[in-house]
């Protein structure tokens, strides 16, 4: 006897329920677990435990896309925990700027996920590909590569927020303004790029490729906005603690490397295989940074 696929609403309910359980587990650790020597380590342990809950839900539903929204849900929660534990409380001006950028980004990215997610009958095409390549190690790859590594990457890139929370002895300055403008501008860039792509998908012909609007100036403007957001957090951390400049950009650089070496190449290869006309876009449109496209030759 076969069961019918879950509806979109049922899928959302199950994902939200899993995330609530994950949040409860994380908060329970922070409340009752042994305190670590550093506040950031407490948050990391709670984050990993919550990720394990989402991983279990993914395995139970045979769908690793259970994890997709976790990417954008966790940074605001980390920020809130650190903020509540901050000696400066809610009165620190820099934290309000950081919160503005983080919440704007989280709402935009989570909203885009919710808008495009059809339900748990669908799974991101990259996940089964990774599991199939892993063979008998597929469970380990699912746990580590699909769940834990992204959690650690996001946590590392969010650490400048922790610095901004705990280092409150420096007044706002010009670097904070730059960080705010970079952060808001980057989120707007991703928002506009995604909106343009959604409109294109609704009317495109079979095999047609997107080279309009921002997508005519960059093959991945949404990724460029995502990268810019993480660098804006690093700038906030630098503004709060210049002495930490030696490591403060590590998380943002790791995100940049992830997009350049994994996300973009995988998307490009898939587009080339599915849409022959995409090669023309590759020849004319920059890979990541925005600039006018080259003229077609021949």
């Amino acid at each position: 006897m076969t069961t019918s696929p879950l509806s979109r609403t049922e899928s959302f309910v199950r994902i939200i329920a899993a995330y609530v359980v994950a949040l409860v587990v994380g908060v329970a650790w922070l409340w009752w677990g042994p305190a670590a020597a550093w506040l950031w380590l407490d948050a990391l342990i709670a984050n990993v435990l919550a990720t394990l809950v989402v991983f279990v839900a993914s395995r139970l539903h045979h769908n690793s896309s259970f994890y997709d929204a976790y990417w954008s849900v966790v940074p605001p929660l980390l920020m809130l925990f650190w903020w509540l534990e901050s000696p400066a409380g809610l009165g620190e001006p820099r934290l309000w700027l950081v919160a503005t950028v983080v919440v704007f980004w989280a709402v935009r990215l989570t909203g885009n996920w919710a808008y495009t997610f059809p339900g748990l009958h669908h799974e991101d095409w990259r996940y089964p590909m990774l599991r199939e390549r892993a063979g008998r190690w597929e469970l380990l790859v699912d746990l580590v590569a699909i769940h834990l590594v992204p959690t650690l990457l996001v946590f590392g890139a969010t650490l400048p927020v922790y610095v901004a929370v705990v280092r409150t002895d420096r007044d706002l300055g010009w670097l904070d303004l730059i960080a705010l403008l970079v952060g808001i501008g980057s989120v707007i860039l991703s928002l506009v790029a995604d909106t343009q792509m959604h409109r294109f998908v609704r009317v495109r012909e079979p095999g047609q490729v997107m080279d309009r609007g921002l997508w005519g100036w960059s093959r991945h403007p949404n990724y460029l906005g995502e990268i810019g957001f993480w660098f804006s957090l690093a700038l906030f951390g630098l503004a709060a603690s210049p002495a930490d400049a030696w490591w403060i950009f590590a998380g943002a650089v790791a995100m940049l490397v992830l997009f350049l070496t994994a996300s973009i190449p995988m998307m490009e290869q898939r587009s080339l295989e599915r849409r022959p006309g995409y090669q023309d876009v590759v020849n004319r449109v920059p890979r990541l940074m925005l600039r006018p496209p080259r003229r077609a030759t021949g």
Side-chain angles (χ1 to χ4, degrees), residues 33 45 62 64 66 92-93 124 136 145 165 179 181 215 272 280:
I45 296 171
H62 308 287
S64 295
F66 241 88
E92 176 63 27
D124 188 300
R136 63 175 179 162
V165 168
L181 294 176
W215 300 84
L272 289 169
D280 176 64

Side-chain angles (χ1 to χ4, degrees), residues 107-292:
V107 170
R108 199 287 309 173
L109 189 54
T110 308
N112 186 68
W113 166 81
Y115 178 78
T116 58
F117 183 57
L120 284 172
H121 59 277
H122 166 83
E123 184 179 27
D124 188 300
W125 58 272
R126 290 166 290 196
Y127 300 154
M129 180 185 70
L130 290 172
R131 292 196 301 266
E132 289 169 6
R133 289 179 177 177
R136 63 175 179 162
W137 302 103
E138 67 89 15
L139 187 147
L140 185 62
V141 166
D142 194 8
L143 171 61
V144 176
I146 298 176
H147 290 80
L148 287 179
V149 167
T151 287
L152 295 177
L153 281 172
V154 169
F155 184 85
T158 309
L159 276 178
V161 175
Y162 171 77
V163 173
V165 168
V166 299
R167 309 265 196 246
T168 58
D169 55 334
R170 294 180 62 87
D171 294 333
L172 288 177
W174 60 269
L175 193 55
D176 293 289
L177 177 60
I178 292 177
L180 178 67
L181 294 176
V182 170
I184 296 297
S186 296
V187 177
I188 291 175
L189 174 63
S190 293
L191 176 62
V192 173
D194 284 336
T195 301
Q196 291 177 346
M197 179 59 77
H198 296 329
R199 291 173 177 171
F200 169 75
V201 168
R202 288 198 296 266
V203 301
R204 69 180 173 186
E205 301 292 334
Q208 189 177 5
V209 295
M210 176 56 154
D211 60 353
R212 308 169 188 175
L214 291 173
W215 300 84
W217 287 56
S218 169
R219 301 203 298 274
H220 303 279
N222 54 338
Y223 288 165
L224 178 61
E226 180 75 8
I227 293 167
F229 162 75
W230 295 111
F231 273 90
S232 76
L233 298 190
L235 289 172
F236 276 121
L238 182 63
S241 180
D244 289 306
W246 63 276
W247 71 267
I248 206 75
F249 286 91
V253 171
M255 285 292 185
L256 175 62
V257 171
L258 171 69
F259 282 107
L260 291 179
T261 64
S263 300
I264 290 177
M266 292 174 73
M267 292 297 293
E268 300 251 284
Q269 183 61 38
R270 181 174 172 82
S271 295
L272 289 169
E273 292 172 354
R274 292 159 58 92
R275 302 178 182 88
Y278 190 69
Q279 183 61 56
D280 176 64
V281 176
V282 172
N283 295 338
R284 293 184 295 106
V285 179
R287 186 187 195 195
L288 186 62
M289 301 303 295
L290 293 167
R291 70 162 175 75

Side-chain angles (χ1 to χ4, degrees), residues 64-83:
S64 295
S65 280
F66 241 88
Y67 181 83
D68 288 349
Y70 196 80
W71 180 284
S72 56
V73 169
V74 166
L77 297 177
L78 292 173
M79 177 190 67
L80 179 61
F81 168 64
W82 290 329
W83 200 351

